[in-house]
Amino acid sequence: MAERRRPQQLIAAIAIMSALAGAISSCKHDPPISLEPVEVSTSEISFRDQVQPILNSNCNMSGCHNASSAAEGVNLSSFASIMSDDELVVRFKPDESELMEELRGYGRKGSMPPSGQQPLSSEQINVLKQWILEGARNSFWAQGPCDTVTSSYASQIEPIMNTACNGCHSQTSTGGGILLNSYELTKSAAQSGKLLASITHSGAASPMPKGGNKLNDCQIRQIERWISNNYPN
Ligand code: HEC
């Protein structure tokens, strides 16, 4: 038999519920998130130079977590879209951030990236973790002097490919059949003329990185020099 609530109980229940609601809303965005870009030193993580390129090349694509698809409501295409979700990134607390939980579970059902896709490297996961530990700011590095004296695959080209391209281009299914995850493969894409055409958005090849920001001028100059110097390894 259903028990009728007495008015005092009802009032107590309402009081508890409103106290709870107040507590939940007061811990949202605490401290408040500034969307303003902040310049940081290179000893700190840069959202623009490190975090966003990792997300662009591993998560932020059509059918997944770009602005138009936003699978499961998760849109990883910009700082503002990431921060509009309270649970995805909990500032200073990687262990409470859903983003880190998804990545750590790779291989487990429902974890990210979906199986069949290249998992993030532990180095990339550490960048994301450290970024959250440092407060998950909209940080960027000042554009330092561009090193165009040295020119080698290992010191300049491979890091660019790993950050900006290889989330898609280390397996044929996600990179339109083009692989860029070794010296030989990158060299052969360069020799076809497509590599440079794609990163300079010349119109002679699909503009790359697909769906992300163009590489910066320094990165493009380094790739141009690597090609004109005959692909030093
Ligand atoms: C989000 C996934 C993604 C990222 C990141 C990405 N690519 Fe691609 N790339 C593709 C896909 C898919 C294709 C197939 C053509 C298309 O759909 O535009 C492609 C095609 C290419 C092609 C062939 C272009 C043509 O017209 O034949 C080159 C070269 C290329 N990518 C280089 C790069 C380089 C260099 C980077 C990093 C600076 C990069 N890509 C980043 C997904 C990506």
Side-chain angles (χ1 to χ4, degrees):
M1 185 177 126
E3 199 185 308
R4 283 193 57 196
R5 281 199 176 162
R6 279 187 281 141
Q8 295 97 305
Q9 285 178 321
L10 202 61
I11 290 162
I14 290 168
I16 290 168
M17 272 157 64
S18 56
L20 271 176
I24 289 165
S25 63
S26 74
C27 64
K28 264 189 187 177
H29 292 179
D30 200 10
I33 292 164
S34 162
L35 297 181
E36 282 304 303
V38 275
E39 187 181 321
V40 296
S41 76
T42 49
S43 62
E44 294 174 280
I45 301 290
S46 162
F47 175 78
R48 185 191 66 188
D49 303 280
Q50 297 177 283
V51 175
Q52 188 71 70
I54 293 173
L55 299 177
N56 284 347
S57 96
N58 291 282
C59 325
N60 177 13
M61 33 223 164
S62 165
C64 305
H65 300 294
N66 70 355
S68 55
S69 305
E72 310 282 334
V74 173
N75 172 354
L76 299 176
S77 64
S78 69
F79 182 77
S81 73
I82 294 167
M83 291 315 200
S84 68
D85 182 324
D86 292 327
E87 285 159 20
L88 202 52
V89 168
V90 181
R91 305 174 72 214
F92 306 102
K93 295 176 182 161
D95 291 341
E96 292 174 22
S97 299
E98 214 177 90
L99 180 71
M100 299 312 299
E101 205 177 302
E102 290 291 339
L103 296 172
R104 270 193 305 267
Y106 181 79
R108 243 189 279 139
K109 201 165 181 288
S111 295
M112 292 287 138
S115 53
Q117 210 184 300
Q118 182 85 358
L120 268 66
S121 67
S122 53
E123 206 183 349
Q124 290 173 320
I125 292 180
N126 282 335
V127 166
L128 300 177
K129 181 177 173 189
Q130 186 60 28
W131 171 65
I132 296 174
L133 275 174
E134 289 173 8
R137 290 166 300 169
N138 191 5
S139 50
F140 68 94
W141 291 331
Q143 193 102 57
C146 183
D147 178 6
T148 51
V149 178
T150 41
S151 181
S152 85
Y153 171 76
S155 70
Q156 295 180 330
I157 309 306
E158 189 176 25
I160 299 173
M161 296 298 136
N162 282 344
T163 314
C165 319
N166 282 340
C168 297
H169 288 286
S170 51
Q171 51 190 358
T172 51
S173 58
T174 50
I178 306 245
L179 293 171
L180 297 171
N181 55 343
S182 75
Y183 170 75
E184 287 301 333
L185 292 164
T186 308
K187 180 178 166 185
S188 93
Q191 284 171 323
S192 75
K194 298 253 179 183
L195 180 69
L196 199 55
S198 71
I199 58 166
T200 53
H201 298 189
S202 73
S206 283
M208 292 291 143
K210 199 176 175 73
N213 293 333
K214 202 173 168 185
L215 296 179
N216 67 41
D217 291 344
C218 178
Q219 293 169 316
I220 293 174
R221 270 163 64 198
Q222 288 175 335
I223 294 172
E224 277 169 346
R225 265 182 53 88
W226 179 67
I227 294 173
S228 61
N229 286 342
N230 207 15
Y231 323 104
N233 197 343

